[in-house]
Amino acid sequence: MGKTLSYKILENHLVSGAVAPGNEIQIRIDQTLTQDSTGTMVYLQLEAMDIGKVKTELSVAYIDHNMLQTGFENADDHAFIKSVAQRHGVLFSKPGNGICHQLHLENYGAPGKTLLGSDSHTPTGGGLGMIAIGAGGLDVAVAMAKGEYSLTVPEVLGVNLEGKLRPWVTAKDVILYVLKQLTVKGGVGRIIEYTGDGVKTLSVTDRATITNMGAELGATTSIFPSDENTLAYLRSQGREADYTPLCADGDAVYDGVLEVDLSSLPPLAAMPHSPDNVDSVRSIGEIKVDQVAIGSCTNSSYSDLMKVAAILKGRKVHPDVSLVISPGSAKILSRMAENGALADIINAGARIIENACGPCIGMGQSPRSGAVSLRTFNRNFKGRSGTQDAEVYLVSPETAAVSAVCGYLADGCASGISLPEIPDETFAKNDNFIVYPGRADTSSLEVAMGPNIKPFPRNTALPDEVSATVALCTGDNVTTDDIMPSDSRLLPYRSNIPYLSGYCFEKIDGGFAERCRKSEGCAIIGGENYGQGSSREHAALVPLYLKVKFVLAKSFARIHRSNLINSGIMPLVFENPDDFDDFEVGQSLVMKNAISQVRNKTVAIDNKSNGKTYTFATNFSDLEIQMILHGGKINCIKSE
Ligand code: MIC
Ligand code: SF4
């Protein structure tokens, strides 16, 4: 039986176990990446593990999220990360170099490699034919320390691309179409592998847009084959030597196939407030637009921005629109400065902002109250822009640029503007933003600890009886942005869990933190796909600090479920989803004989307030059982 590309790469990296859906395996991790907003925790954890040099081939610490320096906090975090990177042999990418995923694609990603990153959009690397997985910070710290990562083998869903995209229809529209078909939970427990003749019509940066937003499907990762287009991209980055051709076997068997006819797709948009709420630009209609933001790890590549420049050249941004553009990397910005495209953008009336995540994570450029904001980003969760009542639509760079000129959501096909082909260019190597780790023995180098950097909370071993008061009942698809909001106000406190705890679930229920503080132990009740979105382990560490013992939900998003277990908090799944309706804030729950129940993998919890007993599936692997029993991953490692 033929093999999928995903399973071939997993098998090449296998340390233990067998690659078949549902099995727990350990794989070798070749590369890791961190960014600063999850990175401080990663490097605190790495320090706590007391290792020497990292065991990976390459580990990079990027600074791209917490870029505003309105106080000492973010700058202290950068200095801390740089100092720990030096000690452990990690490359440090200075602020200003660009967005981690764009930079990793340009400089380090390679076909056939494995990459683990403390950011949910790490699968961007799948555009180069690598297995690139987003994970919680602790998993990445352990991967650096041991060079390994454990995962449950996902199924592989084939997406068969046929035909060729029409003008004004882009890679962004492909992934928006896939999101519409599969929804934000359609990728949970799956790798999405792209196949078919349509693949060769897409460049590596197109492919990376698609694999990047596979995170919004909840997928473990997404991957494209490595072919001549991969070679062309690597050559353009001066990295031809990293090329290996790779593809699935001709008779590879997939666990399902989604057919996509590229030639039939129109320009699409995801409407407020979910990336899967997709319709065609034409059907949504010419809604008036206040802000257009172009950039983010999804759509800030050289070819994306050159197309934007071509659309804006000689035209004017509409008087009612604020257009902001954040290029993906310094390399892209500098080339656009050299070839005049930057001037075309500026002359049209756009605001150029730093090469960073910026508005994507609410770091500036929050739109005005009630605004319609078109963004080329990947998430439009309510309030993520920093403006609670803004209406954010996700679109391609081409749709964004033409709409910025028109002042309304515009279908480029009807605009009469013709789009030029942007050929791949060759970029000169410039590593002036990279700080390479120094001397052979760096263990005596001092760690730069600013006063805002506080120790992370640690759990204790599981007691035999766990009592908890229900502190919150939520609905379906709760995001980690809901659990632990992030914006310019809170991001400077990513290394200060006690401070952040006051804001947990702030947008859903302002009383949550106070209720937890008054209780000896709490529980959260969730619907489907609880914890979708970001990889931030703060969405588990803050609940741990607030004494949350378990989360009872209909289903969990992958990374958040792991983060809960890593923190020693039990994610438990309702065996009968209708039981969800019986739970209310303030009810007292008790889990008796917790240790043996966890070992047996099904759990009964008594609801003392209504006298009923409920059963839950744990789906814990053997390793996860150990983590729950020890009170989290660090305790488990320390006990080894
Ligand atoms: C995001 O896009 O939500 C983030 C900010 O990049 C997060 C990481 C974080 O919360 O720091 C992610 O995607 O994992
Ligand atoms: Fe940064 Fe936005 Fe990408 Fe997250 S999704 S890494 S915030 S650009």
Side-chain angles (χ1 to χ4, degrees):
M1 193 170 80
K3 285 188 184 148
T4 62
L5 173 57
S6 310
Y7 280 11
K8 285 187 192 183
I9 300 178
L10 291 177
E11 277 176 5
N12 270 340
H13 289 80
L14 203 59
V15 175
S16 65
V19 179
N23 283 2
E24 191 178 27
I25 56 168
Q26 280 215 306
I27 54 167
R28 200 162 27 78
I29 293 296
D30 300 322
Q31 306 183 345
T32 63
L33 71 77
T34 59
Q35 41 88 337
D36 47 332
S37 66
T38 54
T40 39
M41 280 300 145
V42 175
Y43 295 106
L44 282 170
Q45 289 153 343
L46 196 68
E47 280 291 296
M49 275 184 276
D50 202 13
I51 63 143
K53 299 279 180 200
V54 294
K55 305 291 184 303
T56 48
E57 290 172 7
L58 172 93
S59 288
V60 191
Y62 295 97
I63 307 290
D64 57 356
H65 282 64
N66 296 345
M67 299 286 280
L68 296 182
Q69 292 173 218
T70 49
F72 62 89
E73 293 88 354
N74 289 343
D76 278 5
D77 282 354
H78 303 170
F80 165 73
I81 292 173
K82 180 166 175 253
S83 66
V84 182
Q86 281 284 312
R87 274 161 66 85
H88 297 290
V90 174
L91 267 62
F92 178 77
S93 166
K94 286 166 76 175
N97 198 17
I99 304 173
C100 58
H101 307 303
Q102 177 63 37
L103 289 171
H104 209 84
L105 198 75
E106 286 176 1
N107 300 301
Y108 307 112
K113 296 278 182 194
T114 53
L115 165 69
L116 196 72
S118 67
D119 190 280
S120 64
H121 290 104
T122 304
T124 312
L128 275 171
M130 67 195 302
I131 289 282
I133 302 177
L138 183 51
D139 285 325
V140 178
V142 171
M144 283 194 252
K146 298 188 170 179
E148 290 171 10
Y149 174 61
S150 312
L151 77 158
T152 305
V153 179
E155 292 185 341
V156 183
L157 176 76
V159 176
N160 190 44
L161 304 178
E162 292 298 334
K164 188 176 185 321
L165 294 170
R166 291 178 296 141
W168 290 97
V169 187
T170 70
K172 182 63 157 276
D173 303 303
V174 177
I175 187 61
L176 289 177
Y177 176 79
V178 174
L179 271 155
K180 185 178 168 71
Q181 303 308 309
L182 299 180
T183 81
V184 287
K185 56 182 198 306
V188 178
R190 287 167 150 180
I191 295 177
I192 314 291
E193 187 168 312
Y194 290 85
T195 62
D197 281 349
V199 164
K200 58 177 183 292
T201 67
L202 301 172
S203 67
V204 163
T205 52
D206 289 338
R207 297 173 187 181
T209 294
I210 294 171
T211 57
N212 170 284
M213 259 188 106
E216 276 53 68
L217 295 165
T220 303
T221 189
S222 304
I223 188 167
F224 274 83
S226 165
D227 58 13
E228 310 83 73
N229 295 359
T230 319
L231 175 61
Y233 180 79
L234 288 170
R235 192 178 279 146
S236 76
Q237 302 297 327
R239 297 201 293 124
E240 202 172 332
D242 290 339
Y243 177 64
T244 330
L246 290 175
C247 61
D249 291 334
D251 57 348
V253 178
Y254 290 90
D255 299 296
V257 176
L258 175 71
E259 299 288 344
V260 179
D261 175 9
L262 297 177
S263 36
S264 70
L265 297 181
L268 297 168
M271 299 176 284
H273 296 284
S274 180
D276 62 358
N277 187 17
V278 172
D279 206 343
S280 71
V281 166
R282 189 159 292 184
S283 319
I284 298 169
E286 296 179 347
I287 48 169
K288 199 165 156 36
V289 170
D290 304 280
Q291 184 193 51
V292 174
I294 298 176
S296 91
C297 57
T298 315
N299 276 126
S300 61
S301 66
Y302 178 73
S303 56
D304 280 341
L305 296 191
M306 286 301 291
K307 284 185 194 138
V308 168
I311 295 166
L312 294 179
K313 186 172 179 164
R315 298 193 169 85
K316 181 179 167 185
V317 174
H318 190 278
D320 296 339
V321 174
S322 168
L323 171 63
V324 292
I325 299 181
S326 36
S329 73
K331 210 191 251 186
I332 296 170
L333 182 60
S334 120
R335 175 51 57 92
M336 292 179 72
E338 283 161 8
N339 67 16
L342 184 60
D344 294 336
I345 290 178
I346 295 171
N347 292 339
R351 295 169 71 173
I352 301 296
I353 53 174
E354 213 170 359
N355 317 318
C357 298
C360 180
I361 187 58
M363 276 302 220
Q365 310 304 324
S366 298
R368 71 162 175 80
S369 300
V372 168
S373 176
L374 298 192
R375 299 177 160 219
T376 67
F377 308 165
N378 46 40
R379 292 187 172 141
N380 58 345
F381 303 143
K382 193 169 169 49
R384 182 173 157 103
S385 66
T387 304
Q388 198 57 20
D389 61 358
E391 303 269 295
V392 176
Y393 291 72
L394 305 176
V395 295
S396 70
E398 287 86 327
T399 300
V402 72
S403 303
V405 172
C406 295
Y408 55 82
L409 177 65
D411 182 339
C413 309
S415 69
I417 303 173
S418 52
L419 279 172
E421 273 300 311
I422 310 295
D424 275 347
E425 281 209 37
T426 307
F427 293 85
K429 184 174 156 111
N430 178 350
D431 58 1
N432 291 345
F433 279 98
I434 296 291
V435 181
Y436 291 96
R439 297 169 282 136
D441 179 15
T442 46
S443 53
S444 59
L445 283 181
E446 231 171 84
V447 171
M449 276 281 206
N452 182 48
I453 301 176
K454 306 284 184 228
F456 57 90
R458 295 267 288 270
N459 211 330
T460 48
L462 184 72
D464 212 28
E465 183 164 307
V466 183
S467 299
T469 308
V470 177
L472 187 72
C473 295
T474 67
D476 290 346
N477 295 320
V478 161
T479 71
T480 50
D481 284 273
D482 295 324
I483 304 171
M484 196 53 257
S486 267
D487 51 28
S488 58
R489 197 180 38 124
L490 293 179
L491 271 164
Y493 297 96
R494 279 296 185 93
S495 42
N496 187 342
I497 299 290
Y499 182 89
L500 284 183
S501 67
Y503 300 89
C504 193
F505 280 112
E506 181 195 29
K507 288 181 193 159
I508 291 188
D509 181 342
F512 173 78
E514 201 41 42
R515 281 200 289 282
C516 290
R517 286 212 174 90
K518 287 194 183 130
S519 155
E520 278 315 302
C522 309
I524 296 168
I525 314 296
E528 296 281 4
N529 201 24
Y530 178 86
Q532 68 157 331
S534 145
S535 69
R536 71 189 65 139
E537 57 191 349
H538 303 75
L541 290 173
V542 169
L544 166 62
Y545 181 81
L546 291 171
K547 298 170 285 188
V548 172
K549 304 295 175 193
F550 40 72
V551 182
L552 313 179
K554 292 182 187 170
S555 66
F556 288 89
R558 176 185 64 89
I559 306 180
H560 185 60
R561 177 181 178 277
S562 298
N563 285 340
L564 288 171
I565 295 171
N566 286 350
S567 305
I569 299 175
M570 288 175 272
L572 304 173
V573 179
F574 284 105
E575 280 197 334
N576 174 8
D578 292 339
D579 289 347
F580 169 88
D581 299 327
D582 288 0
F583 287 81
E584 281 167 24
V585 169
Q587 290 178 331
S588 298
L589 312 179
V590 62
M591 184 180 182
K592 294 189 188 130
N593 306 318
I595 295 175
S596 59
Q597 291 216 62
V598 166
R599 284 209 175 105
N600 292 336
K601 299 189 186 181
T602 46
V603 161
I605 290 181
D606 300 329
N607 184 333
K608 294 203 284 188
S609 305
N610 67 8
K612 291 192 193 168
T613 298
Y614 299 88
T615 50
F616 299 86
T618 67
N619 308 321
F620 292 150
S621 68
D622 294 344
L623 202 69
E624 288 171 343
I625 291 177
Q626 290 312 312
M627 290 195 251
I628 295 292
L629 296 181
H630 283 91
K633 189 164 190 151
I634 293 244
N635 293 350
C636 206
I637 292 172
K638 292 254 171 197
S639 77
E640 275 170 14

